[in-house]
Amino acid sequence: MNRRNVAEQVGANVAAACASVEDLAEAADMSAPDLNDRLTGVVPFSVTELTRVGGFLRTPAETFLRGVVA
């Protein structure tokens, strides 16, 4: 899985929801710096993290995987 593509999908959904990184990080049970590492593709998102992010954004986690080839 291309972590940058996943990060871009998550980032686009975060921007569309006008959510703050701090609120999203809290909802995903991680620190804001850890979330930033994922949003920039430095660290890959885990399935659990994608599920938490999706829950906060009210977006199915599989949305973040569109166009990503394993």
Side-chain angles (χ1 to χ4, degrees):
M1 176 179 339
N2 185 322
R3 72 179 91 164
R4 289 229 187 260
N5 289 346
V6 172
E8 289 171 4
Q9 289 290 335
V10 173
N13 280 271
V14 170
C18 297
S20 74
V21 170
E22 291 78 15
D23 289 342
L24 182 57
E26 183 177 338
D29 196 29
M30 66 176 67
S31 68
D34 286 344
L35 178 58
N36 276 324
D37 284 346
R38 284 154 179 80
L39 290 172
T40 58
V42 172
V43 176
F45 278 96
S46 71
V47 172
T48 301
E49 292 163 347
L50 289 175
T51 301
R52 289 177 182 159
V53 168
F56 178 78
L57 297 174
R58 299 177 184 220
T59 303
E62 59 266 15
T63 299
F64 307 130
L65 303 175
R66 288 191 183 137
V68 175
V69 178

